[in-house]
Amino acid sequence: LRRKVINGRGVEQETNDVRFAAFSTFSKPIMNVTSDTIREIASLAKLHVEEGEISALTERFNSVLALFDELQSAPVSELVPMANPLDATQPLRQDVVTEQNQRAVMQEIAPSVSEGHYLVPRVVE
């Protein structure tokens, strides 16, 4: 969906009407990580984790997940998505050829050419 909005500078522009879906994805509280979960993640990732580090990693994982839970309560229903933090548009240039075709000149110095194509040694047998 395209719609017109007024940006921070009072300029009307079109934008996509897309809502940030991550908040609705995690509608229930996010799980707590246990030491068994840390061991399983380390095994899947082929990481060696010392037994003494597992409790600290468990706390760090749970603190990150708690932050996600906290972000769940952020009031985002009335926010308009931003395509650019400066509300700027990219000026487009004309699609015009600016250089001359120099294929013949470049092929004169090429080691091997056939029918206008560069020939290279076979790499894969």
Side-chain angles (χ1 to χ4, degrees), residues 20-124:
F20 189 68
F23 292 106
S24 61
T25 304
F26 303 112
S27 58
K28 61 182 179 178
I30 297 175
M31 64 181 253
N32 283 332
V33 174
T34 64
S35 57
D36 291 334
T37 309
I38 296 295
R39 286 185 191 93
E40 185 177 346
I41 291 170
S43 171
L44 291 172
K46 306 271 191 251
L47 296 174
H48 174 72
V49 178
E50 296 290 334
E51 199 61 37
E53 297 175 332
I54 290 180
S55 63
L57 282 173
T58 304
E59 288 179 28
R60 290 172 75 184
F61 266 78
N62 283 323
S63 66
V64 169
L65 293 176
L67 179 60
F68 283 123
D69 278 337
E70 189 176 323
L71 285 173
Q72 288 287 74
S73 64
V76 296
S77 62
E78 298 298 319
L79 294 179
V80 177
M82 266 191 325
N84 185 319
L86 303 175
D87 287 327
T89 58
Q90 179 67 35
L92 301 177
R93 63 176 173 80
Q94 293 293 321
D95 190 13
V96 178
V97 177
T98 58
E99 293 188 18
Q100 298 291 329
N101 183 359
Q102 297 184 5
R103 183 169 104 179
V105 175
M106 295 297 158
Q107 288 188 346
E108 285 178 10
I109 60 174
S112 183
V113 178
S114 173
E115 298 176 6
H117 300 286
Y118 295 98
L119 300 178
V120 296
R122 179 179 219 98
V123 178
V124 179

